[in-house]
Amino acid sequence: MVGSNSYFDVLKLIWINQSTFQAFNVYPDEDSEDEIDNTKELQIEEALKLYQAALKLHAQGPKYIQETFRAYKALFSSEVFRYPEALSEWSQDERYGTTVIYESDEEDDLTVDALTARGAGDSAPSTLPQIVYLSYKNHGQFMLDYIKHYVVIELAKAKNQGTPSPIPENYMHATALTALNYFAEALAKDESDSELWRKTARVANALGSHKVERFCLETVLDQDEEGVEGRHESLGLEEGFAGEDLKALLDTLSDDLSKLQPLNVGLGSRKLASFLQSFRDPYPFLPSSGPISEELSLSKSSSSPPKRYELTSAARTWAAFGKTILQSLLADQHGIIKIDAGSAVSILLPGGDGESDKGSIPEASLSDAEDDANTQIQKEANAMKEVGPLVTKELSSRPESPVAERFKLDEDCQPKEKPPIVGAEDPKSSGTGTSRSNSPRKRSSSSAGLEEPADGGRIRSKRIRARESNADAGSTGEGADASEAQQFSEFLENMESADKGLFDCAQSLMSRFSINALGSFEELTKARQSTETSVSDSNENERIPRGRQDIAVYDLRMLLESWENSKSVIALYSEGTDEITSSINGLSSTRNAGLTAFLEHSKAAGRKMSTKPALSNEEDLAKFSRRINKGWVHIKSAALGWVDSLLRGSSKGIAKGIIEAGGNSSYLQYDWPESLKETVVQMCVALDDDIFSRLQDESDELIERLLMVRLPSEKVHENELAMVDMAETIFELHLDIYASITNPSSEVDEGTRLTQRDRVCRWSGLVSDLMNILASISSKSHILLLRYQWAMVLFAGFTEGVSREHKLMLTASIKAELEAAGSPTIILQNNALMPEISVGAAERESSRLTTMDFFLGIFQADKGDPVKVIETLEIVLDRPKADQFQSDITDDVKSDKKSGREGVAQDSQQEEQSTPIEQMSHFLEKGSASLRLFLWQRLRSAYELIKYPTKVFSCYLRSIEIIMNELRSTTYMEGSAEQRQITLLKWLRSMEELVTKSLALALKEQTAFECIDQDHLITSMTAIAELARLIHGFTLFEDRVRVGQVKLGETPSRSPGNPLLLLTVRMRDMQIRTWTLMYLLLKEAMAQNTDLFPHPQEDLLELIRSIHHSTGLRAFCHASNKLFLQFAKQELYHFSVSDDWDTEMTQILYDLHGIKLSVDPWIIADHQCNPEAIDRDTAVQIVDFVLALVDRMPFRDLPKTELKSVIEKMQQAIGAPKESSASVYNQRIFKSFLDSSINPLDLYQSLKGLKELSSLTTTGLTAQFVGKGWYFLLGQMALSRFKSQKRVSQTPTDDLEIARHFFTLDLEWGMERWESWLRLAQTFDTMLEEKVSWSADALNTDRAEINALQRKIIHCYTMAVSMAVRFADESVETQLKMTEMYIDFGTRLYSSSRSPFDNLAFELHGYPRHFSGPEGMYLKEAHTELSDFKAWQLAAVLYLRALEDKPGGWYIHYMLGKCYWKMYNHRDNFGKKGEQLVPLSSVMNSIVASIRFVPIRTRQEPILEPHYKLVSVVHKCFQRGEFSLERAIAFLQKTPYAQRISPPPDNEMWEQYILSILKCLRTADKVNWHHRMISRVAHIIYDNAPDNPAATIAARNEFMQQIFTKTMVIQVWKPENERPGRHFVYTSYYVKFFASLLLKVNDKQNLEALAKRVRKRGADFFDYNSVWTFICQAYLKVIRRTGGIPGSHEETIFKSINHETFELHAARLETWCHLPNTTHPILDVLREVNELKKLNSNLMRPTMGIDDLAADAYAKLYELVVPGLVEQMQGEHQREVMSLGNLLSTDGSSEVHPIVPSTSETGPVRHRTKGVGRREVIKRAENTVTKPPPPPILPTQAPRVVPRPLISAAVVDLTSTPEGEKLEELQDSADDESELSDLGDEMEDDADEEQVKPVLFPGLVSSSNTVAAGE
């Protein structure tokens, strides 16, 4: 039977791949953004590499078989084979529980989920299916090759040698089965591979599975819709081979019916078939049949012997053992499988001990669909250990398919209140079976329960590895070195220090209310250390801490140390049937949820924690398993035996007949796990009839025996008492089931309830008979009698028609029985309905029945009046109000008694009214915490309906108090360790929800604390403090785990879905919420007790810092979706600013948004938070904080800090401001002001602070930002960012535009900010500087834009000065800014008045204004224009103001001196009385002062501007006679550069003296930036003797030493203090002056080079057109001068020449000029002129000299060359006429004479002779130096023969004959009519170019052309 189940699995796998699946539990992962990465692509690429490596080794043959095994193992260990889309549909069904939709179903039946599941793999790369398909196919082929090259050879070798084979007999079978499995997986991916189908059929044939073989062969023939019988055409080889194999198979199977169907397939002709027969078998080395073929044969099945079915338990537990039996049993009952009568089962336990005595009886599987494939493969692998270890590993790695997952119990067999949580694992067997995951996320190997490969393949993505590195950082191994130990020690010290600060801070605040629940950190550390030192103790009770509040801490620690993933179901999700979760999570949503809660919780109100040990009796289980395996036991008998083993004890204790005995059945002795309880209940329901029949028979035998004996001393035997105990136990279990399905919230159908009720009634009757016999024998109360009586009392409660009085009577009766028996306590820990039988339980039941009416009134289904519920419940639940209510009643009674107005009847009436409240309070005090929680929840719901959030919040706090009190209760402490741990997890799960909702309400509602008094606050703070202490114990444990001091019992997986990691996240979230809630409670307590807290803000700030520091060091301050960080941020906004406040706010903002606001980055710690983008609200809130930080630092340091990027992010979050009507109005006023002209009156008013603009007051958030200076800061940052750049070329002005935008925005919302006006002016000024500093294009082309920008600058400075005078403070910093403003404003006025701006910004052109006068409306300028003198005067005033605060500024004195010098030399420098407004002394004093204050630089270039200015001014004044020699020398001695030079003795030596000083200045200018000194030297040399060639040459040489190189490269650099734009002015001036010098010395070569250089660098010269024109004219003059070309020579030469003669001679001249040997100086002149014209490119009009020189030069050339050409032409003509050939060529009859019109016929014709036009001369001049284009290549044709002699002679002499003169006169007369002006000539020339003008004698023209061609 080996592998029989595997064949059927393969068959189903192959067949199921054509079906469609509908996945209900797999959803696409669309919302998980953090999981999106390229991991899949990388893993597919890695798998492809592994596949190629394996394929390469496979192709190398048997030598590399071991390496190939390893390669394929590494390949299939890759992550890609774990993807859902890489699995076959059958594997997906087994793993994910997918529902199969067969092909016969309609397409409309497919759900969206099915389509989603089916398309899940579509998103995978296209290579994934190919890799999977080829990997499975080639691996299967490799397994067959392994059989061929190893197995077959070894078997043959052993057979030939006669020795035993080292290979087991079934080894080939197992290997072939593995290959079959791989082929099946490959076909699941590609079912179109016909060859693979046929190979699969051959392997199935070798294994003996004819069913699989036939299916595969039919699939080959059924590739299209026609089917097998529809094939009539010729098929391929694979189809032909398959057809032959199918025919042979049908013959083997004797399937005559199938053979009757037409099978038109085959190999064609016989000859071809015989030839192909040798290729038919793909695997000839495989056998043709196998051992399984006999077993699969249907013909022999009827005579098969009895079978033994082999089962395997999933775990070594009673629950797993029973579940295995139950599943098989139910499968047989439902017809899923068939277990033959008389067959037996053997059940194997994991780990052995399952001995089996099978004898010769053959084994059989439960079914081909049921037998465990993994077990069978493991058996096959064990048989191959000695031969093929690699194959063994391969076989053992196949996926599991346990029976437990295939057959599920029907819901009717196990009634439940609620469906279980999807994905919840069995607490005892979760680690053994295959669990299904309900997570739609991508599954990793760890979350799927699979082990990761240690080293092979692709392990994890970078993201996952980075996540795991954090966990790896905290784990230490045995070989950890001293440095790691030191790091861990420091880590713990830091954590403990932070925790100590937190506990001390919080406890110090709560101690003022006498609250010590939190305690100190030292106390918590001592409690933890005490538990650590007591772990090794053997007695568990001795290890429990003495303090009640530390028991929960201890339990939590022990729970974590022995962590099992099965506990995560309780901690993370809670079970649906859990009583705590039911009460907390809203049972009120169902119709009778309240009544259900009351009934369930009241019955379990006094339930104690079970002290019974957990069931773990593996020895008895092994014995029971061996007993079954050794015998011949049917499946049903095995099930009954399993029930007996658990429910029937040995009765040694029961036989004593006394109460103290508890029996020894498993039901009484042990605490069953939930899985075992579930299995027992299911087994009892499934075998109810069989069990009842057996116990009925035993009961009858007992009764019959006792009746026959009839002896009073006769007793019940031990086995009979065990039977009675078992019957009572089953009765109790059925009663428990019935109670669970009949509660008001149960949704079980009525039929199931009636069936279960019948079972209870039937078992009650049977037990009743047994108890009567037991009572008749024993006089004492037997334990079984008490159990029965208690059960009947409870059963009466479920019976309809039984009154409450009768129930109370029954309860009183059982209470009396218990008291008579000595008040025993019977614990039935495995029964939820009756867990305890005692006097206390009876009293609680009586109390429950008594208060039933009250609670029924509360839990009515209609519940329409929440006010009534509040009035009822609040008195009962709120003890202070209940006590007050009771005291009021008592006071009223006493007063009534005292007054005598009430009698005894009224007193009793009042007592009766107070009795229900007392009873209910007493009931709740003794009842369970769950019931109290539910009542508080009911009260909370009522408050929610009336929208009273304050009381809702109070109810939440009361619920928390109840849970924390429960954890300190005696009930909790008396429970076992395991029960306490489970209960603690449940309470923590419930507490999490309560804390979350209460905190959300407290944060949302401002009135949450209105009704919370001080007593309530104290109790709530106590509970929250205890909770914080408990959760902090988990944090301390996590610290120890992180550093490796604590080892977990179960090593957690590192995947994100690991339960322990999820629990850690939950606990961290809960800790954050708990501390936040504690903060709110303390804050409210401080507000109610202000006398106890003199500095509440400081205390609260310290608490926030402590919480943040403690949680931040552990990197979970961002837990709970950054709740604490957001809350702390909002709290700090309301605190006053301090140093501690700044530090904490900075850290919070860094954790939230990743922004560093601290000036000192070291104070910010990295808490490993995931920052999020800053939002608008946060940005608005921290504006003040950021501005305060900016004010604390120098602004120049701001770009170096993180504040710069933070401010930019804040502005992005704030966004653009919204406009208002006031801002729109202000914007219009602002724009019109900037675009207006410059009014001198505004400038003078600004100096007094009188200039202002009419604007409206703005309000709103933007106005607040403006008032705080936010937009000003943004603009200043952008401006400084641009200025801080090191610019070496023109750069984009985006930053300046940004600065302009923010400054403008700042002014539009408030125009009184003088500093904003100043920075806006500086922004515009920088824009202007950028435009004119790097290129002169803007100065030459965009003067309008330049002028407008200057006006904006001056307007902004005007408003800045005016507003500063009015509003600026007197601080030193402000005065320095104003000084800067005065300097910049004065410089701008002076610059605008000087070149290159030239006062154009002050012009009023384009700014007229309408005026009304006596004559009507007229246009006129609104004000006078600002003159240059006024501009200099205003600039001087500004400089003088700047000197008031900065008297030592050399630049101010320097610019003031320049202003005074310009004013001194101006014509307006005279007052009304003729006095000088600016004397020369003022000029000199300012210049000398600038020299005095100029700084002396040692490492930088010296400042030479003041020194040069002094030399220049003194020299000019001396030249003009304003200074004497002595005074001039005295002034020059002020500069240190003149002090080392001897002064001149007389005026004659003055120039040498000045030149010596300038030479010293040039020597000091080491970088040669100061070009003006060179120009000054040249002018001094040249100006004194402008007509002296030597002076001219000397001046030229001065320029060529530095400014102009030999190649005429212009080297003029901008000095440091030179105004923008002046550089191009000086460059243009130098070029003009230098060109004039070259003109004087006739330096044509340098002038030509200069012209070419200037033409290429047009952007380097101001007023470039004038510069270029000047150079061109100078160059033309030099050319004319060197060529000797007289002026107006064109008119002299061509004035008397007619047009025809000119054309003839011009053509000859042009031909002569183009001869290669032709040279002439005039031709060189023409070439130079032509080159200059090309270089000019119409920049200068050619008529301005170029055309004149060209025409004159051509005339000169015509004059010199043409006469010689004419003489030469005439000589050639004479020789041609007198030639002998010409004389003898023709006779007289053939002569051709020119036709000349007769004057007698036509009369005299008078016309004017046409002259030569200027345009034609210039054109001919250009043609002389321009090579004509080559003639076009015409098609080859026969030459035309033209008679030469007479025609040529006629043409040549035409003009010299009278007829020719007449002809010329005729043509001239025709020309007279069309000759107009020069414009007409130009038009005519243009027309000549377009079309050929017709001539008078076409023949003559053709002949002349022929002659010219011949010449």
Side-chain angles (χ1 to χ4, degrees), residues 1247-1263:
L1247 298 176
K1248 301 179 182 180
L1250 301 178
K1251 176 61 180 176
E1252 62 180 355
L1253 297 179
S1254 176
S1255 62
L1256 299 179
T1257 303
T1258 57
T1259 58
L1261 183 61
T1262 305

Side-chain angles (χ1 to χ4, degrees), residues 211-363:
K211 186 182 296 183
V212 176
E213 179 186 6
R214 181 174 181 177
F215 177 81
C216 295
L217 293 176
E218 290 179 350
T219 304
V220 175
L221 301 175
D222 196 21
Q223 291 294 328
D224 55 11
E225 299 179 356
E226 295 180 358
V228 177
E229 65 277 4
R231 296 295 188 93
H232 299 286
E233 69 280 1
S234 177
L235 303 176
L237 289 178
E238 296 300 332
E239 290 82 355
F241 287 148
E244 295 295 333
D245 293 340
L246 182 58
K247 291 177 183 179
L249 178 60
L250 294 178
D251 292 336
T252 303
L253 298 177
S254 300
D255 191 353
D256 298 334
L257 181 62
S258 297
K259 290 191 292 184
L260 293 177
Q261 298 179 0
L263 192 62
N264 300 322
V265 293
L267 297 176
S269 62
R270 294 182 180 180
K271 186 175 181 180
L272 180 61
S274 61
F275 172 75
L276 296 176
Q277 199 62 235
S278 60
F279 304 99
R280 176 178 170 183
D281 190 357
Y283 304 115
F285 54 86
L286 291 179
S288 298
S289 61
I292 195 172
S293 59
E294 299 296 332
E295 299 175 11
L296 293 180
S297 178
L298 298 177
S299 60
K300 298 182 180 182
S301 60
S302 58
S303 61
S304 300
K307 303 176 182 178
R308 176 184 291 273
Y309 297 91
E310 184 179 289
L311 304 176
T312 302
S313 176
R316 198 180 180 85
T317 61
W318 282 96
F321 196 91
K323 189 175 288 293
T324 301
I325 299 176
L326 180 62
Q327 289 173 343
S328 301
L329 183 64
L330 293 178
D332 180 51
Q333 291 179 357
H334 289 79
I336 299 176
I337 60 175
K338 178 63 176 176
I339 301 179
D340 299 332
S343 60
V345 295
S346 61
I347 308 175
L348 303 179
L349 291 174
D353 291 340
E355 298 180 3
S356 179
D357 185 12
K358 306 171 188 176
S360 61
I361 304 298
E363 295 181 355

Side-chain angles (χ1 to χ4, degrees), residues 1028-1096:
R1029 179 185 177 89
L1030 172 62
I1031 300 176
H1032 202 80
F1034 179 88
T1035 303
L1036 296 179
F1037 175 80
E1038 185 183 359
D1039 293 341
R1040 268 61 187 179
V1041 173
R1042 187 178 304 176
V1043 299
Q1045 291 185 358
V1046 177
K1047 301 294 183 181
L1048 296 179
E1050 180 177 336
T1051 302
S1053 173
R1054 292 167 180 167
S1055 63
N1058 177 261
L1060 185 56
L1061 296 182
L1062 293 177
L1063 177 63
T1064 303
V1065 174
R1066 288 282 184 89
M1067 295 299 290
R1068 290 176 175 179
D1069 294 347
M1070 191 173 179
Q1071 184 173 5
I1072 289 295
R1073 298 189 187 106
T1074 302
W1075 283 111
T1076 307
L1077 184 58
M1078 181 185 292
Y1079 175 88
L1080 291 174
L1081 294 174
L1082 281 171
K1083 181 181 178 181
E1084 179 63 22
M1086 291 180 182
Q1088 295 185 12
N1089 299 271
T1090 56
D1091 54 333
L1092 298 178
F1093 300 92
H1095 305 288

